Amino acid sequence: QSVLTQPPSVSAAPGQKVTISCSGDSSNIGNNYVSWYQQLPGTAPKLLIYENNKRPSGIPDRFSGSKSGTSATLGITGLQTGDEADYYCGTWDGSLSAGGVFGGGTKLTVL
Amino acid sequence: QVQLQQWGAGLLKPSETLSLTCAVYGGSFSGYYWSWIRQPPGKGLEWIAEINHSGSANYNPSLKSRVTISVDTSKKQFSLKLSSVTAADTAVYYCAKVHWGSNVLYYYYHMDVWGRGTTVTVSS
């Protein structure tokens, strides 16, 4: 059971928009920045979004992030078949079990 | 541009000790934390531990009793040992570079560079 909660799967057609949610609590998302990672099949995760809404160099602006309270959202517009991947949210958890935490991952299917 | 190269034994028997090393090429070694994350087959990511150049480390409480993380700054390498492995430790193990710090309001924590992963299988 992951500390952060994500939907197992989402789907949308090419060209459409999709959002992926990530829910936590005050010990993690509520008081820390959120990051998002894309994992294409058979590859290592890749940083997509950091500090809630910042994109590393090379990440297109089709990808966006936001945070409100103890939840965060990843948005992807103009879906492409190459976006089909697993997406993970992550942050720091400052509770007694302090450490890095991830969501369980969301499989994006581009229909 | 930082790159991470990792290596270690890929097949272990139950009760043996997993040993992995990650080398950092390019960029600064100090000023960051260096982490290990694993992913069991068909499952999500699990943070294992992290360490900085001075040896300050944090551990996943569920694994802490079996994990040792160490650093060799002269070689720009960090290592993971996981003792008494079982089939439940079968996973792809990744090393990663961690940005961790805080501003006035929040902690930021993200991994911007990842190794390619090492598949570790525990089987008798």
Side-chain angles (χ1 to χ4, degrees):
Chain A
Q1 184 115 4
S2 302
V3 173
L4 307 179
T5 301
Q6 297 181 234
S9 63
V10 296
S11 62
Q16 297 299 304
K17 174 183 177 179
V18 71
T19 60
I20 298 173
S21 62
C22 175
S23 178
D25 60 35
S26 60
S27 68
N28 42 66
I29 292 178
N31 282 287
N32 296 305
Y33 289 108
V34 176
S35 54
W36 289 92
Y37 304 86
Q38 177 193 59
Q39 187 176 34
L40 297 169
T43 69
K46 173 185 176 181
L47 180 65
L48 268 186
I49 298 288
Y50 66 100
E51 293 178 23
N52 298 341
N53 54 21
K54 297 179 181 177
R55 286 176 285 106
S57 173
I59 301 299
D61 59 6
R62 300 188 299 107
F63 296 90
S64 64
S66 63
K67 189 188 103 165
S68 178
T70 59
S71 293
T73 301
L74 172 70
I76 312 173
T77 60
L79 276 173
Q80 303 173 1
T81 56
D83 296 332
E84 199 161 277
D86 294 320
Y87 292 84
Y88 294 89
C89 57
T91 188
W92 177 259
D93 189 300
S95 67
L96 290 177
S97 305
V101 291
F102 293 100
T106 299
K107 169 66 177 177
L108 168 63
T109 301
V110 181
L111 302 169
Chain B
Q1 182 75 356
V2 172
Q3 293 186 333
L4 303 180
Q5 183 176 349
Q6 56 181 106
W7 65 89
L11 181 60
L12 297 171
K13 291 182 168 53
S15 81
E16 292 184 335
T17 296
L18 178 157
S19 182
L20 299 173
T21 298
C22 185
V24 180
Y25 296 100
S28 173
F29 191 68
S30 61
Y32 302 103
Y33 271 76
W34 303 93
S35 182
W36 291 97
I37 299 106
R38 70 181 183 179
Q39 185 172 34
K43 296 188 177 180
L45 303 171
E46 180 180 30
W47 177 80
I48 301 171
E50 64 189 11
I51 193 166
N52 68 6
H53 69 285
S54 62
S56 178
N58 299 301
Y59 296 89
N60 184 325
S62 68
L63 298 169
K64 186 174 183 178
S65 64
R66 298 194 291 130
V67 170
T68 301
I69 191 170
S70 59
V71 65
D72 185 335
T73 54
S74 66
K75 295 182 179 179
K76 294 177 69 175
Q77 295 178 0
F78 61 106
S79 298
L80 173 74
K81 291 188 186 300
L82 178 65
S83 63
S84 304
V85 298
T86 69
D89 296 309
T90 293
V92 177
Y93 287 73
Y94 296 101
C95 59
K97 170 173 160 266
V98 182
H99 289 251
W100 187 41
S102 65
N103 59 23
V104 176
L105 293 176
Y106 301 123
Y107 277 100
Y108 57 86
Y109 186 87
H110 55 271
M111 294 96 169
D112 68 336
V113 182
W114 294 66
R116 298 184 67 175
T118 300
T119 299
V120 176
T121 302
V122 180
S123 174
S124 56

